[in-house]
Amino acid sequence: MQKAALPDSQAMIRKLRSIVDISDEDEAAILALPITVRQLSADQDIVAEGERPGSCCLVIEGFACRYKILPDGRRQIMAFHIPGDIPDLQSLHLKVMDHGLATTTPCRLAFITHHDMWGLCERRSAIAAAMWRETLIDSAVGREWMIGIGRRSARTRTAHLLCELFVRLQAVGLTRGREYDLPLTQTELGDALGLSVVAVNRVLQDLRAESIITLKSGTVTLLDWEALGAAGQFDPSYLHLKRPPEFGT
Amino acid sequence: MQKAALPDSQAMIRKLRSIVDISDEDEAAILALPITVRQLSADQDIVAEGERPGSCCLVIEGFACRYKILPDGRRQIMAFHIPGDIPDLQSLHLKVMDHGLATTTPCRLAFITHHDMWGLCERRSAIAAAMWRETLIDSAVGREWMIGIGRRSARTRTAHLLCELFVRLQAVGLTRGREYDLPLTQTELGDALGLSVVAVNRVLQDLRAESIITLKSGTVTLLDWEALGAAGQFDPSYLHLKRPPEFGT
DNA sequence: CGAAACTTTGAAAAGGATCAAACTTTGTGG
DNA sequence: CCACAAAGTTTGATCCTTTTCAAAGTTTCG
């Protein structure tokens, strides 16, 4: 157990600031939380379905995902989590995990015990509200994915996801201009989009051929934001950000 | 504005009790809430996408749904809400609705202002926790739908939904043995399942032909719970009920 | 009783899934 | 730093579940 190194809890603060106003006292209370930092390699379970975790985990660095395995072995990824997210905040209220949480890339994670989390929420109701709000935004993102999977074409869904990740990463300062790291294989994208690898691959080919994006060795560049947004029917309001996303020229 | 008639707020209490323990003081606090009861006919918007509601609504009687309309006019239903549910509890934290809420059948709804809701949550932290928990279960249900839409066949999804509704309705006492009212058209089921009406119709035909269910004039009977659960790969744990569902013989 | 809303059926088309195999990139150990 | 194996991407061809379109039955309800 160690005290938060500044750059570590900083991630959570930056994230919370992107969705809600945080006072200095609240910030101090967060920084004072005892956390345990753990480094995991890629494709490790953070919490498995059926477990009863005793702490919540904050993603400091890396990508994680929420998933469920079907009886036939196929997988559905239900969310991607980026630095600043607390993917299992829900375990504070729902004791048994109804899905798994895993790293997608090597990750640095900060664990905060439920006990400390409860204490923080009681002492600082603004933080409790912010966290509740965070879980609600998480659902909103899930609903948007549901619409995509249920009603949008392979192309539209894929474009939508690329837009969403750009905006979310930008909100926590992880984009470079119109470019960002997308450390996901096409199989993982497919599992998230409800598509086969082949389908994902073909859509990406098309988007590249139309000079809408560039994607190689894990880096995406949005060459034509307008076109990508249109292709993905993307409207960021469901992300409930405090300030609208920006797209430099 | 009127005081809660007993049978009205009772719905919320029964629902909360099904997912969490409620003390007598908590119950009294809920019953003391000022509510406005409104009766809506079928297919009316309760709140539209883009609105900023000033109150939350509790479903007392009838079915409601959460939906979004796509640019091409198609609709995706993202949740069904039954008596006891508070479908827009999230508006307490997310000011602008990112989706619409509509009645599916005639509904009797109780509106509680955000102001009163906040007051209740502040005075009674157990209720605040129960409500947060309720929104989390709502997300869990959404995730399960996502899995269905993304990875399960038309047949499996449909069967899953029939199981889910049975269990949820049973938890609030709205089933009669292995039978319940399903006041939804096949088009609505399709919009929820991400299927065309035709596909829904064919699945229902099959389930009937195999004597797994009976469905006519809005009443479903689960003739063979085992078979339906298997067909739908149904495991109720994601509903996080306090007590497991029961299936009489 | 009749119109409107639903359900049902048939036939054809399409979007993706699946299968298989070649090609590239990445990361590791020698 | 190279060589290789493993992982990931790409391409082609075929199959299949669902969608779409169309039209005929049925209910429901005013």
Side-chain angles (χ1 to χ4, degrees), chain A residues 23 33 56 111 127 174 197 200 217:
Chain A
S23 72
L33 274 186
C56 290
F111 288 84
I127 295 182
L174 290 175
V197 211
V200 172
S217 54

Side-chain angles (χ1 to χ4, degrees), chain A residues 42 46 65 84 105 107 120 126-127 130 181 184 186 190 198 231 245 247:
Chain A
I46 301 172
C65 71
T105 65
C107 275
L120 181 66
I127 295 182
D181 291 334
L184 301 171
Q186 296 182 3
V198 178
F247 316 103

Side-chain angles (χ1 to χ4, degrees), chain A residues 74 93 98 139 151 240, chain B residues 74 93 98 133 139 151 240:
Chain A
R74 285 181 310 163
H93 290 278
D98 57 37
S139 318
R151 294 290 187 208
H240 298 272
Chain B
R74 286 181 310 164
H93 289 278
D98 56 38
R133 184 177 152 95
S139 317
R151 294 291 187 207
H240 298 271

Side-chain angles (χ1 to χ4, degrees), chain B residues 217-234:
Chain B
S217 53
T219 299
V220 205
T221 308
L222 310 188
L223 300 175
D224 187 341
W225 171 261
E226 281 297 319
L228 188 64
Q233 305 183 339
F234 185 71

Side-chain angles (χ1 to χ4, degrees), chain B:
Chain B
M1 182 95 73
Q2 60 173 98
K3 269 295 161 78
L6 257 207
D8 285 350
S9 286
Q10 218 57 319
M12 168 152 62
I13 295 188
R14 187 161 41 181
K15 168 66 185 308
L16 287 178
R17 276 197 193 291
S18 77
I19 58 171
V20 92
D21 287 312
I22 296 291
S23 72
D24 291 347
E25 297 87 50
D26 291 334
E27 179 165 337
I30 292 174
L31 290 174
L33 274 185
I35 62 176
T36 306
V37 175
R38 263 208 299 157
Q39 176 79 33
L40 270 81
S41 53
D43 298 310
Q44 298 288 302
D45 259 351
I46 301 172
V47 209
E49 180 174 344
E51 276 185 29
R52 301 168 157 265
S55 44
C56 290
C57 105
L58 163 70
V59 179
I60 298 171
E61 212 180 291
F63 271 45
C65 72
R66 195 188 280 291
Y67 72 94
K68 206 156 177 171
I69 301 289
L70 294 174
D72 64 0
R74 286 181 310 164
R75 171 172 74 163
Q76 174 71 48
I77 290 180
M78 297 175 290
F80 285 123
H81 289 287
I82 64 175
D85 288 352
I86 306 179
D88 60 349
L89 204 41
Q90 43 120 41
S91 64
L92 215 48
H93 289 278
L94 303 180
K95 293 311 166 200
V96 180
M97 290 294 290
D98 56 38
H99 59 268
L101 224 51
T103 59
T104 260
T105 65
C107 276
R108 177 208 281 286
L109 304 169
F111 288 84
I112 304 162
T113 65
H114 284 171
H115 176 266
D116 289 334
M117 211 64 156
W118 276 113
L120 181 67
C121 287
E122 264 166 38
R123 285 194 312 281
R124 313 244 109 232
S125 68
I127 295 181
M131 298 215 178
W132 185 353
R133 184 177 152 95
E134 191 183 327
T135 61
L136 290 170
I137 293 178
D138 201 73
S139 317
V141 172
R143 283 194 295 270
E144 200 63 27
W145 283 34
M146 192 155 120
I147 294 170
I149 297 175
R151 294 291 187 207
R152 299 205 255 242
S153 68
R155 176 189 168 92
T156 309
R157 281 182 241 189
T158 308
H160 193 280
L161 179 60
L162 293 175
C163 292
E164 175 183 308
L165 287 173
F166 177 77
V167 172
R168 288 173 56 197
L169 287 167
Q170 184 182 250
V172 292
L174 291 175
T175 50
R176 298 175 298 280
R178 346 179 105 221
E179 183 183 299
Y180 63 92
D181 291 334
L182 184 73
L184 300 172
T185 66
Q186 295 182 3
T187 304
E188 286 164 335
L189 288 173
D191 284 346
L193 296 165
L195 293 173
S196 65
V197 211
V198 177
V200 172
N201 185 273
R202 285 177 178 143
V203 169
L204 292 177
Q205 299 290 321
D206 291 349
L207 294 176
R208 278 189 282 225
E210 296 167 45
S211 302
I212 295 179
I213 64 165
T214 259
L215 167 56
K216 62 165 182 272
S217 53
T219 299
V220 205
T221 308
L222 310 188
L223 300 175
D224 187 341
W225 171 261
E226 281 297 319
L228 188 64
Q233 305 183 339
F234 185 71
D235 168 355
S237 37
Y238 73 94
L239 292 169
H240 298 271
L241 294 171
K242 265 190 354 190
R243 67 182 55 198
E246 278 162 35
F247 316 103
T249 21

Side-chain angles (χ1 to χ4, degrees), chain A residues 63-91:
Chain A
F63 269 47
C65 71
R66 194 189 282 288
Y67 71 95
K68 207 154 176 173
I69 301 290
L70 294 174
D72 64 0
R74 285 181 310 163
R75 172 172 73 163
Q76 174 72 48
I77 290 180
M78 297 175 291
F80 285 123
H81 289 287
I82 64 174
D85 287 353
I86 306 180
D88 60 348
L89 204 41
Q90 43 120 42
S91 65

